[in-house]
Amino acid sequence: MTPVWRKASHSGSTSGQSDCVEVAHLEGNIGVRDSKAAEAPHLVFGRADWRVFARRVERGEHDLP
């Protein structure tokens, strides 16, 4: 079954560049990819790890300086 990739709700635009992150359910896991490089390798998280990662992103712990 082909995964259905959705644009993340927090994807936006910075300096005119599109910062698009897409997510998909992948056989019990969560996949994350860059929409501009859809054929490139993507990250895969277990559900529990995804929840931890998403909470940290929401708190800004993974923001670049």
Side-chain angles (χ1 to χ4, degrees):
M1 183 172 171
T2 303
V4 176
W5 292 91
R6 300 177 288 118
K7 183 177 175 184
S9 61
H10 291 291
S11 290
S13 177
T14 305
S15 302
Q17 297 295 323
S18 179
D19 298 325
C20 296
V21 175
E22 295 177 321
V23 295
H25 292 279
L26 305 174
E27 299 180 21
N29 296 307
I30 304 297
V32 180
R33 73 180 184 183
D34 180 346
S35 65
K36 296 180 302 278
E39 300 304 317
H42 54 268
L43 300 174
V44 177
F45 293 88
R47 291 188 183 275
D49 291 332
W50 171 252
R51 284 189 294 271
V52 169
F53 176 75
R55 276 194 300 267
R56 289 179 175 172
V57 168
E58 286 176 354
R59 291 191 300 243
E61 294 179 23
H62 295 291
D63 290 353
L64 297 173

